Amino acid sequence: MSDRAIDKTVELRDVRRSFVQGDAVIEVLRGVNLDIRANEIVALLGPSGSGKSTLLQAVGLLEGGFEGSIKLNGEETAHLSASGHTRIRRDMLGFVYQFHHLLPDFSALENVVMPQLIAGTNESEAEARAETLLRSLGLGERLNHKPSKLSGGEQQRVAVARALANAPKLVLADEPTGNLDEATADLVLAEFIRLVRQEGSAALIATHNERLAAKMDRIVRLHEGVLT
Ligand code: ADP
Ligand code: MG
């Protein structure tokens, strides 16, 4: 595999997805093409229902039923088994959702340690990394707080730290600040972008907020099933 191929963290060609609803077939993705370079932060814009989440599920190897080519870090994923998809998700992807999905019985620190332990990092290393990430997001005084003792913005910062815990090549985020008030959303997104840049990851971030999208390296828009 050439270095040139690896420079492309994401390479989508003619990705298609439709859903059958009763007698109707809804064609949500109608031939999506997208390249994302290593270290590039791309905003995915489109109104509600345009297929942003569906596209992120394709890139995140979270669902089947897609047609076309999905290459991640130069590797074609279309014909891999479920365990192949699991390996790629574990080794190169990080996810942030609109709702944080933190483990409620575990502290902020533990929530960021956990994915590292699953990936085989030893506990002391995982704790040190979790603490560094949380401190850099301004949560140094919140390490031992459970999610219910954190504000919405703080919870989402922990989710950001968790997504970056295993130094993923690619971070996928589905309206990561969609559940926060405007001022908090701006702050959390700015921190998120800063940390992604600092870590050298690429990112694809769905949002319907033009103002937030303008802070990223590039904007792509989903319109009638294709990217413009
Ligand atoms: P967005 O994230 O941009 O709001 P989605 O990707 O969630 O859009 O949805 C795009 C379209 O696909 C919507 O019309 C939605 O109803 C439809 N859709 C998404 N998932 C399913 C599903 N599992 N079954 C049927 N239709 C779906
Ligand atoms: Mg969505």
Side-chain angles (χ1 to χ4, degrees), residues 52 87 90 93 193:
K52 300 182 298 299
R87 167 181 59 80
R90 185 195 59 210
L93 302 180
I193 291 172

Side-chain angles (χ1 to χ4, degrees), residues 107-119:
S107 69
L109 190 82
E110 289 164 338
N111 267 280
V112 184
V113 163
M114 204 74 74
Q116 299 180 74
L117 297 184
I118 292 167

Side-chain angles (χ1 to χ4, degrees), residues 4-214:
R4 207 184 149 76
I6 299 201
D7 182 56
K8 279 186 190 163
T9 301
V10 176
E11 212 177 332
L12 305 182
R13 289 295 176 271
D14 203 25
V15 171
R16 293 169 184 272
R17 175 71 160 120
S18 42
F19 296 105
V20 179
Q21 290 237 304
D23 300 339
V25 176
I26 315 168
E27 295 183 316
V28 177
L29 304 179
R30 303 177 175 212
V32 169
N33 298 307
L34 175 65
D35 288 355
I36 302 178
R37 296 190 312 274
N39 307 350
E40 195 179 21
I41 300 179
V42 177
L44 173 59
L45 273 178
S48 185
S50 60
K52 300 182 298 299
S53 295
T54 302
L55 182 56
L56 285 167
Q57 278 160 7
V59 180
L61 311 179
L62 290 166
E63 288 218 23
F66 294 94
E67 289 172 57
S69 166
I70 302 172
K71 282 189 191 166
L72 296 178
N73 212 32
E75 180 174 3
E76 178 59 66
T77 66
H79 310 295
L80 291 177
S81 63
S83 68
H85 287 168
T86 303
R87 167 181 59 80
I88 292 177
R89 277 202 306 275
R90 185 195 59 210
D91 292 348
M92 76 164 279
L93 302 180
F95 296 89
V96 186
Y97 301 98
Q98 180 170 359
F99 299 98
H100 55 75
H101 297 301
L102 297 172
L103 299 169
D105 296 331
F106 293 88
S107 69
L109 190 82
E110 289 164 338
N111 267 280
V112 184
V113 163
M114 204 74 74
Q116 299 180 74
L117 297 184
I118 292 167
T121 307
N122 75 53
E123 195 164 345
S124 61
E125 231 173 90
E127 281 180 7
R129 167 128 178 108
E131 186 170 339
T132 301
L133 286 169
L134 289 166
R135 282 194 188 285
S136 85
L137 290 166
L139 294 174
E141 306 301 313
R142 301 284 185 279
L143 300 177
N144 298 311
H145 285 50
K146 297 214 169 126
S148 62
K149 305 290 181 201
L150 297 171
S151 71
E154 288 169 341
Q155 290 169 353
Q156 225 31 1
R157 284 184 162 89
V158 177
V160 164
R162 178 186 53 185
L164 288 158
N166 289 324
K169 286 205 161 52
L170 175 67
V171 180
L172 298 171
D174 196 352
E175 305 197 32
T177 60
N179 190 37
L180 303 175
D181 65 75
E182 196 171 291
T184 308
D186 276 23
L187 284 171
V188 171
L189 193 84
E191 289 290 295
F192 180 21
I193 291 172
R194 183 183 57 74
L195 198 59
V196 169
R197 283 196 207 290
Q198 180 185 310
E199 292 285 315
S201 299
L204 180 60
I205 302 175
T207 177
H208 46 233
N209 188 320
E210 297 266 350
R211 196 170 39 80
L212 297 184

